[in-house]
Amino acid sequence: MNFIPSIELGLGIAENPSDVAVTIQLLIILTVLSLAPAILIMMTSFTRSVIVLSFVRNALATNQMPPNQVLIGLSLFLTFFIMAPTFSAVYNDAFIPYINGELQTEEALAKAMDPIRDFMFTHTRESDLEMFIQLSGNERPNSRDDVPTMTLIPAFVISELKTAFQLGFVIFVPFLVIDMIVASTLMAMGMMMLPPVMISLPFKILLFVLIDGWHLITRSLLLSYL
């Protein structure tokens, strides 16, 4: 006779304080895991990568090519590549000591945030950070350690948005020139009823392929974090 395993969840009475501590740690871990998508999007290079790649698709006017799944997947792998040194520092300085029992939960979280904060500080504009510090009503910090993480994160995000839109503008310019040339040519030929986008699309794709566009875009994204 085959037995099918089952999983049972229940609440019991803690027999000693250590059981309560383990339960609290489990709740903290579950909370961190539930916030993992937001942490990945807002505290890493994912925002800049996905916006720039979306600008490329919009500039080409290829509608859903490449599809969203491809753009998000490429953005994720670029994020892992860019954030590899930061994630390695978190793993070596916080996760391993915590697993070995060398650090408590609070100490491990603080250690894990240090490399991430350093990354965000490196790519956050002073004007954006100063704005959030002033609006928070806190005193001017004397060092980076005095800046709250909840103040640093939104400053980092809007800095990433500004940089991504700057890169997007540079990407749009050559394709806009092609659209203007095609539209002017069609108007001069009296073919005003023919949509310029239909004619300019093959030329934009050809230009993008000839200059190895994906290589240049990816290289520019990676170099923007060096």
Side-chain angles (χ1 to χ4, degrees), residues 52-109:
V52 170
L53 294 179
S54 298
F55 268 120
V56 173
R57 185 175 66 182
N58 291 335
L60 287 171
T62 53
N63 295 328
Q64 295 299 318
M65 294 299 295
N68 291 329
Q69 293 85 345
V70 174
L71 293 184
I72 294 175
L74 179 57
S75 300
L76 283 174
F77 280 105
L78 289 176
T79 300
F80 294 146
F81 182 84
I82 294 169
M83 300 295 297
T86 303
F87 291 157
S88 297
V90 172
Y91 181 80
N92 294 324
D93 299 340
F95 184 75
I96 294 298
Y98 177 73
I99 294 298
N100 295 333
E102 301 173 5
L103 294 176
Q104 299 296 325
T105 303
E106 295 80 5
E107 296 174 338
L109 290 175

